């Protein structure tokens, strides 16, 4: 079965995002090239596990982290699972594979003070780009949406009168997210600046470049990194950390896990529970401070 058939399966049946599909395709092409160049083996369908193990060693020697290697192997596992499904193979070569050990990834959210400083004290500028950059940060923090969801947000998805917006998440699942009056005001300010652009080539998407085109994911990342470098010493400054911050701050202030799960668009509570680490730390502080048996 060709790689193109697998890619079509991911797109049409699994409803994966274009970003995810490209990642799968990139991993599989890289493995196919390794098979051909290093071992004169061109057909991924018939490979045995020792060849995959050699690829793992090769990646490790190139300095690829265990976490990244595990992700690449996950792409292979999905491919061989598909081959099993269509009957091209009877046993996956990865049936006995065990993932490489990785250190626990700790993502530190921004503090409430850092968020307040960014949104209330940092000068963004009164031009189109300044208003747009502030809106990017405001929307990510106020709604917890993913970077790709922000990029694809349309003008028609935002209802200013009701304070709700519609997001198309992973696997084309829609969800409705409320936003704050401050966010609504920032959207109005941005839209006013947007109408003054010389040219708007994309009138459907909400957030545009100064050339009037749909923004792209790298621009969102650069925006977050640029402004948070002014207020935060944290090493990692990314759109995902803002999503992490959104969830953590809600949980710290008493939001229940199921509500946060719905807002984030997670399919299971297990995905949301990774954000409870910081809220538990906050609860411990409150407990120790308030409990009468705690001797100071």
């Amino acid at each position: 079965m060709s790689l193109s058939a697998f890619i079509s399966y991911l797109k049409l049946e699994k409803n994966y995002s274009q970003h995810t599909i490209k990642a799968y395709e990139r991993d599989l092409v890289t493995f196919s090239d390794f098979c051909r160049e290093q071992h004169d083996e061109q057909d991924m369908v018939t490979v045995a596990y020792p060849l995959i193990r050699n690829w793992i060693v090769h990646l490790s020697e190139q300095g690829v982290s265990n976490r990244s290697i595990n992700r690449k192997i996950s792409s292979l596992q999905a491919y061989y699972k598909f081959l099993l499904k269509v009957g091209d193979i009877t046993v996956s070569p990865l049936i006995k594979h065990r993932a490489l050990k990785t250190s626990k990834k700790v993502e530190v959210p921004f503090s409430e003070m850092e968020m307040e400083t960014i949104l209330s004290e940092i000068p963004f500028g009164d031009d189109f780009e300044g208003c747009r950059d502030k809106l990017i940060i405001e929307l990510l923090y106020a709604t917890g949406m993913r970077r790709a969801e922000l990029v694809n947000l349309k003008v028609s998805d935002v209802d200013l009168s009701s304070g709700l917006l519609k997001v198309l998440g992973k696997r084309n699942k829609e969800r409705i997210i409320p936003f704050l009056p401050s966010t609504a005001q920032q959207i109005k300010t941005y839209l006013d600046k947007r109408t003054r652009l010389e040219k708007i080539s994309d009138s459907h998407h909400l957030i545009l470049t100064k050339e009037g085109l749909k923004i792209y994911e790298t621009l969102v990342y650069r925006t977050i990194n640029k402004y948070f470098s002014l207020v935060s010493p944290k090493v990692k400054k990314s759109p995902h950390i803002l999503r992490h911050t959104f969830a953590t701050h809600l949980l710290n202030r008493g939001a229940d896990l199921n509500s946060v799960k719905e807002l984030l668009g997670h399919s299971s509570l297990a995905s949301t529970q990774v954000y409870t680490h910081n809220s538990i730390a906050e609860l411990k502080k409150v407990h120790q401070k308030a409990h009468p048996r705690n001797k100071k």
Side-chain angles (χ1 to χ4, degrees):
M1 183 68 65
S2 68
L3 177 57
S4 60
F6 174 61
I7 298 303
S8 295
Y9 165 74
L10 295 180
K11 181 179 180 180
L12 301 175
E13 291 196 37
K14 302 295 284 185
N15 285 324
Y16 284 172
S17 69
Q18 194 61 37
H19 176 76
T20 301
I21 291 171
K22 284 182 180 178
Y24 274 96
E25 187 173 21
R26 185 167 55 246
D27 292 337
L28 291 168
V29 168
T30 301
F31 178 61
S32 178
D33 290 343
F34 175 82
C35 294
R36 184 173 58 255
E37 294 170 9
Q38 302 294 324
H39 296 270
D40 197 29
E41 172 68 66
Q42 296 187 34
D43 189 1
M44 288 193 297
V45 176
T46 58
V47 301
Y49 182 67
L51 182 55
I52 298 174
R53 188 173 58 217
N54 288 346
W55 187 47
I56 293 172
V57 172
H58 172 72
L59 291 171
S60 182
E61 288 175 344
Q62 285 187 318
V64 179
S65 69
N66 283 5
R67 191 178 300 278
S68 294
I69 291 173
N70 284 342
R71 185 188 59 74
K72 292 177 186 296
I73 296 302
S74 292
S75 297
L76 283 189
Q77 286 174 323
Y79 177 62
Y80 289 118
K81 187 176 179 180
F82 168 71
L83 294 182
L84 283 168
K85 182 183 178 74
V86 298
D88 280 10
I89 60 173
T90 55
V91 179
S92 168
L94 285 163
I95 190 170
K96 293 184 178 181
H97 173 75
R98 298 183 69 179
L100 302 180
K101 289 184 179 180
T102 59
S103 57
K104 190 170 182 180
K105 193 175 179 182
V106 178
E107 293 185 328
V108 181
F110 298 116
S111 68
E112 289 190 23
M113 183 177 293
E114 285 171 334
M115 293 308 308
E116 184 62 28
T117 301
I118 278 284
L119 294 170
S120 300
E121 299 179 23
I122 293 297
F124 283 84
D126 196 38
D127 58 355
F128 169 77
E129 287 186 292
C131 289
R132 180 203 63 199
D133 291 353
K134 186 173 183 180
L135 179 60
I136 286 172
I137 295 172
E138 176 88 40
L139 278 172
L140 289 172
Y141 178 52
T143 68
M145 70 174 70
R146 301 175 178 92
R147 175 170 57 171
E149 293 169 347
L150 176 75
V151 167
N152 291 309
L153 194 65
K154 294 182 174 65
V155 176
S156 59
D157 293 331
V158 180
D159 187 340
L160 287 169
S161 61
S162 64
L164 298 171
L165 58 82
K166 181 174 66 178
V167 165
L168 188 63
K170 288 186 174 180
R171 303 187 186 183
N172 291 327
K173 290 182 179 178
E174 287 187 356
R175 69 184 188 279
I176 303 297
I177 310 176
F179 55 86
L180 305 167
S182 60
T183 310
Q185 185 56 53
Q186 188 60 36
I187 293 172
K188 290 175 185 176
T189 302
Y190 162 77
L191 287 173
D192 179 61
K193 299 288 183 184
R194 194 179 106 142
T195 60
R196 304 179 198 179
L197 289 175
E198 290 185 10
K199 181 182 179 182
I200 296 181
S201 300
D202 187 333
S203 60
H204 298 292
H205 287 93
L206 177 66
I207 306 182
L208 307 178
T209 66
K210 63 181 180 180
E211 290 81 20
L213 299 168
K214 174 185 171 184
I215 57 165
Y216 44 95
E217 294 196 7
T218 307
L219 186 150
V220 177
Y221 179 86
R222 287 204 308 257
T223 299
I224 301 305
N225 205 276
K226 171 186 173 182
Y227 287 100
F228 279 91
S229 292
L230 300 174
V231 302
S232 178
K234 293 178 177 65
V235 174
K236 190 168 183 182
K237 308 174 188 74
S238 68
H240 184 72
I241 296 298
L242 266 180
R243 180 170 161 85
H244 185 45
T245 301
F246 164 82
T248 301
H249 289 182
L250 286 182
L251 290 167
N252 283 349
R253 287 178 170 264
D256 69 276
L257 201 59
N258 267 309
S259 297
V260 175
K261 166 185 170 290
E262 294 301 318
L263 289 168
L264 292 172
H266 285 158
S267 57
S268 70
L269 269 180
S271 300
T272 315
Q273 283 170 338
V274 299
Y275 299 110
T276 61
H277 172 77
N278 291 284
S279 60
I280 289 171
E282 188 69 22
L283 283 174
K284 285 177 68 178
K285 287 182 187 177
V286 172
H287 178 267
Q288 290 174 1
K289 183 177 179 181
H291 199 285
R293 290 288 294 167
N294 184 36
K295 296 177 181 179
K296 297 177 182 177

